[in-house]
Amino acid sequence: MRAIGRNLAEIRHHRGLTQEQLADRIGLPVDAIAKLERGAHFPRFRTILVLSRDLDVPLRDLMDDQGSLADTNNDRARLEVQGRALLRDLNDELLEIAVEQLSALARLDRPSGSKD
């Protein structure tokens, strides 16, 4: 239950939104957003869909449970969510450049004997 709240807070911060702004955009009370982010309330599926559409993120980015992973994996999962959000915000030309750069970084990170 807390995974959705953590992910929601991270995505909301990345989008530069306050809890109040997000609540206004999707028609929920501010305390409902606060409860979701704290993990004190599990949202209805309709609410998750509205959040996904409004924040322009796949449902997976809201629902991935990072809580069962080690802290380093939580950091990685958080960065992956941020990365996906950033990539979605790019136009096609910049997206192509970003993918080329990520491919170069991935090649650098592979052991020297690995093949594509």
Side-chain angles (χ1 to χ4, degrees), residues 39-60:
H41 175 73
F42 190 81
R44 293 181 172 189
F45 187 71
R46 182 184 178 287
T47 301
I48 297 171
L49 279 175
V50 169
L51 287 165
S52 171
R53 288 181 185 144
D54 187 78
L55 295 169
D56 192 29
V57 296
L59 287 172
R60 173 190 69 239

Side-chain angles (χ1 to χ4, degrees), residues 92-105:
D92 291 347
E93 182 180 346
L94 293 177
L95 178 61
E96 187 172 339
I97 293 168
V99 169
E100 289 171 4
Q101 290 177 343
L102 287 170
S103 295
L105 289 169

Side-chain angles (χ1 to χ4, degrees), residues 3-4 7-8 11 48 51-52 57-64:
I4 292 173
N7 295 341
L8 174 59
I11 294 165
I48 297 171
L51 287 165
S52 171
V57 296
L59 287 172
R60 173 190 69 239
D61 287 1
L62 286 172
M63 300 183 73
D64 275 350

